[in-house]
Amino acid sequence: MNPEELKDKILDWIAEKDFLILKVTKTQRTHFIFVIKSKQRSILNFPINVALSKKPEALLLSLISVIKGEDNKSFRGIDKKYMEKLVGELADRARSSDLDFSFSSSNNETRFRGIRTLFPHELTREVFFMEISVLNEYRNYLHNTFKKYKLSKLKGTNYGI
């Protein structure tokens, strides 16, 4: 199946469910990127990115939490061992959910990312929505872990690409 056919198929699946498409774009490294979000109103409802990479050709489903500004300064100021414990818990949970996990932190922002990679030949509607469910469960875990570590009051935390 070529990238345009796959794109159309995924757009059809998304239209069948209760999702909004917030953004459609592409980059030099991707055939397409959709940012989708459930229509439900909830503090735990944040966007999931759906991207088809060019090399290797794979569908990447991801969620990203970004901490910026004053919140990032506060986050970066917490005890190193406390931060390592938080990041370790998030990484362990991602691994147990078969997600790739990445964490990066700079003076400008801190990013937590959970990613599921699927190859086009293994993609079905059922698999697609099952993986969306896995990411939803992971974002709930991320939110609850932030609460556990008393980081839930961060004003600048957002979710996106």
Side-chain angles (χ1 to χ4, degrees):
M1 177 178 326
N2 73 42
E4 279 303 310
E5 290 173 328
L6 186 60
K7 177 181 176 181
D8 291 342
K9 183 182 273 196
I10 292 171
L11 284 172
D12 287 344
W13 293 341
I14 291 169
E16 292 174 16
K17 291 286 188 171
D18 199 25
F19 285 100
L20 296 170
I21 298 173
L22 302 176
K23 186 177 182 180
V24 178
T25 189
K26 67 180 185 176
T27 67
Q28 288 182 328
R29 295 177 5 190
T30 64
H31 292 288
F32 60 78
I33 301 172
F34 306 137
V35 181
I36 64 173
K37 182 177 179 179
S38 170
K39 291 179 183 175
Q40 297 174 343
R41 292 188 179 266
S42 167
I43 191 168
L44 300 177
N45 180 21
F46 43 86
I48 292 175
N49 303 309
V50 179
L52 182 62
S53 65
K54 290 181 179 176
K55 293 190 181 186
E57 193 166 86
L59 190 70
L60 306 171
L61 304 176
S62 65
L63 83 100
I64 304 165
S65 173
V66 182
I67 304 171
K68 296 181 179 181
E70 291 301 314
D71 288 335
N72 189 47
K73 283 183 184 176
S74 296
F75 178 79
R76 288 178 53 87
I78 65 175
D79 181 72
K80 186 176 180 178
K81 289 195 185 293
Y82 194 71
M83 187 185 301
E84 287 172 356
K85 188 173 179 188
L86 163 76
V87 172
E89 281 187 37
L90 293 173
D92 289 345
R93 180 58 179 257
R95 269 190 299 280
S96 72
S97 299
D98 287 331
L99 298 172
D100 294 320
F101 174 80
S102 69
F103 165 77
S104 63
S105 188
S106 70
N107 289 333
N108 297 328
E109 67 182 23
T110 297
R111 286 180 176 249
F112 297 90
R113 187 172 185 175
I115 305 163
R116 178 67 170 110
T117 303
L118 300 168
F119 295 100
H121 70 275
E122 64 188 12
L123 188 65
T124 65
R125 181 183 183 280
E126 291 74 25
V127 167
F128 179 78
F129 286 114
M130 181 184 71
E131 296 304 338
I132 294 290
S133 293
V134 169
L135 283 169
N136 283 331
E137 290 172 13
Y138 186 71
R139 77 174 169 207
N140 291 341
Y141 183 82
L142 177 75
H143 177 77
N144 290 328
T145 302
F146 278 9
K147 282 173 62 173
K148 175 182 169 183
Y149 283 85
K150 312 242 186 295
L151 300 172
S152 60
K153 295 189 186 331
L154 297 174
K155 296 180 200 89
T157 302
N158 62 26
Y159 303 91
I161 295 175

